[in-house]
Amino acid sequence: MSDFRRIDDAGDLTGKTALVRVDFNVPMADGKVSDDTRLRSALPTVEALRAKGAKVVLLAHFGRPKGQIVPEMSLKPIAAAFADVLDAPVHFAENCGFGPKAKAFVTSRAPRDVILMENTRFEAGEEKNDPALAEAMSALGDLFVNDAFSAAHRAHASTEGVTHFIPAYAGKAMETELDALEKALGTPERPVMAVVGGAKVSTKIDLLKNLVSKVDMLAIGGGMANTFLAAKGVDVGKSLCEHDLADTALTIMKNAEESGCEILLPLDVAVSTEFKAHAPDHRVCKVGEVSADEMILDAGPHTVTVLTEAMDKAKTLVWNGPLGAFELEPFDTATVAAARAAAERTKAGKLIAVAGGGDTVAALNHAGVAADFTFVSTAGGAFLEWMEGKPLPGVEALKA
């Protein structure tokens, strides 16, 4: 991943216009941006381009209008919010579309001005990666900068199509993400440990198959661990379990053995007959001692000890998914303890720790350690597809 073009490679951009794909799909409340994290993440790229003398034209989507103009999905309020973050005017290209009117609007702006185009997904050809739309978009700029890793797994007009018409570069946020991912699985320091949790094996089959060929230790937690335990003949009671995927689990374990990857499954678990916080009958037991009316809701303390000992051997850690039902106390115990152990080792310079995925970010924030990891990706689907070893169209287009 290190062989991609960066903004620094673009040279002097005086008199040029940079077309920049950003992730402005931000949470809104009462018509206003309620969390400006994604807006702030675009700042380094926008400021770097302006410092080089470029006019900046921002492309972004918001919601899922599916090629229709949906007024409540307009980016207009986001333009005002980004102006506050940037501390400079942001010109909003209202009702311009992508054509001569949009070109005239962009041309009329001064060097170093910042322009936000209307929601790219108002265009029917955006998600279809329509070449005509991509060409119309590219006509607004002299170069393209992709700063939205979260949308890089989609071959859309504004992420991949435009790169067929003008030179493409990675933005600063994209650059940081790709460099972190390269350290995690591209050319990592070994041994490499992966922690994968979540509810179902079925949603992460490709991920698990890829990881057993890439990492030295793979810890499996959450509901998906139950499927692996059941496949080994362990009675998991009434736990969430995909019994029909037993053969898949056995194949993954066989492939891991052949690849020299050690699989770490729970040895003890926290169980209850009820899926609720502070269930009165919750207890910790060995994995073979789960009663027929109990469900596994978290990994136990011995399992956490084994995981932390594995972290002591590792140089690199990749984390996706919680180890239990972390939203419900006390079934957040294993996730919090393991996350804090990883954070301690990362802060001490003993571990490169990269994490990503929606539940993962929430779990690390819950444990209070997200800021202590080497890198935490908020990209969701793109992060997962990268972990699965799949090429990301928006990234492939940036390769030198």
Side-chain angles (χ1 to χ4, degrees):
M1 278 194 182
S2 56
D3 59 342
F4 56 88
R5 293 180 294 272
R6 305 165 189 253
I7 291 176
D8 293 343
D9 301 325
D12 181 39
L13 297 177
T14 302
K16 304 287 188 181
T17 299
L19 197 63
V20 185
R21 182 58 160 90
V22 291
D23 181 0
F24 281 1
N25 195 24
V26 295
M28 304 283 286
D30 301 321
K32 294 185 178 181
V33 175
S34 57
D35 182 345
D36 66 3
T37 302
R38 287 179 172 174
L39 304 186
R40 292 189 179 280
S41 73
L43 275 181
T45 292
V46 173
E47 289 174 341
L49 291 167
R50 293 176 80 204
K52 283 175 168 282
K55 187 185 302 182
V56 178
V57 178
L58 303 174
L59 302 177
H61 76 275
F62 181 71
R64 296 180 177 178
K66 299 188 181 297
Q68 304 293 319
I69 294 175
V70 181
E72 55 268 31
M73 293 184 188
S74 172
L75 290 178
K76 188 172 184 177
I78 296 173
F82 188 58
D84 290 340
V85 169
L86 185 64
D87 196 23
V90 173
H91 305 281
F92 182 59
E94 192 167 9
N95 300 322
C96 282
F98 293 94
K101 188 176 178 181
K103 180 69 173 177
F105 185 87
V106 170
T107 303
S108 69
R109 300 298 149 192
R112 295 186 172 85
D113 273 3
V114 179
I115 300 148
L116 177 62
M117 305 304 294
E118 182 57 283
N119 194 337
T120 59
R121 290 188 183 175
F122 281 3
E123 303 290 331
E126 161 70 333
E127 295 184 80
K128 297 173 185 175
N129 201 8
D130 177 54
L133 175 61
E135 186 173 15
M137 286 177 172
S138 67
L140 302 180
D142 301 292
L143 68 153
F144 173 69
V145 176
N146 195 340
D147 210 31
F149 180 78
S150 57
H153 59 314
R154 303 287 184 237
H156 291 172
S158 70
T159 61
E160 194 274 341
V162 292
T163 68
H164 295 281
F165 300 97
I166 51 178
Y169 302 85
K172 295 294 184 180
M174 174 77 84
E175 185 179 304
T176 299
E177 184 108 26
L178 296 181
D179 285 342
L181 300 187
E182 178 68 15
K183 284 183 180 178
L185 278 187
T187 52
E189 281 194 57
R190 292 192 174 274
V192 181
M193 176 180 177
V195 174
V196 178
K200 295 182 177 181
V201 173
S202 55
T203 61
K204 296 187 178 180
I205 290 173
D206 289 344
L207 169 60
L208 295 169
K209 285 180 176 178
N210 184 51
L211 286 179
V212 295
S213 67
K214 293 281 185 72
V215 306
D216 304 292
M217 296 170 282
L218 173 60
I220 301 174
M224 64 170 55
N226 303 335
T227 301
F228 281 83
L229 291 171
K232 293 180 71 173
V234 175
D235 188 347
V236 296
K238 64 171 185 177
S239 304
L240 174 66
C241 180
E242 295 173 289
H243 292 283
D244 58 321
L245 289 180
D247 287 344
T248 300
L250 290 171
T251 298
I252 289 169
M253 287 188 281
K254 183 173 181 290
N255 292 345
E257 185 178 357
E258 291 171 352
S259 298
C261 171
E262 181 184 4
I263 297 278
L264 303 172
L265 291 172
L267 301 172
D268 61 341
V269 289
V271 299
S272 173
T273 58
E274 298 181 89
F275 185 78
K276 72 176 187 179
H278 302 290
D281 66 345
H282 76 271
R283 69 185 183 101
V284 173
C285 65
K286 292 180 180 178
V287 291
E289 298 174 354
V290 180
S291 300
D293 63 343
E294 289 179 319
M295 63 186 88
I296 298 169
L297 296 175
D298 196 14
H302 181 46
T303 300
V304 172
T305 298
V306 170
L307 295 185
T308 55
E309 288 173 350
M311 289 178 199
D312 285 330
K313 299 176 191 173
K315 295 287 187 184
T316 303
L317 174 70
V318 186
W319 189 316
N320 173 258
L323 299 177
F326 76 97
E327 307 93 335
L328 306 175
E329 292 183 352
F331 307 114
D332 60 342
T333 303
T335 299
V336 169
R340 288 178 178 169
E344 286 170 12
R345 286 153 180 77
T346 304
K347 284 195 293 182
K350 298 176 180 177
L351 194 64
I352 293 170
V354 174
D359 282 350
T360 313
V361 177
L364 296 183
N365 282 330
H366 175 70
V369 297
D372 297 325
F373 272 54
T374 309
F375 184 76
V376 177
S377 172
T378 58
F383 182 84
L384 269 178
E385 290 199 17
W386 164 77
M387 282 188 77
E388 290 167 359
K390 296 175 180 176
L392 308 181
V395 173
E396 295 294 308
L398 304 176
K399 288 190 174 177

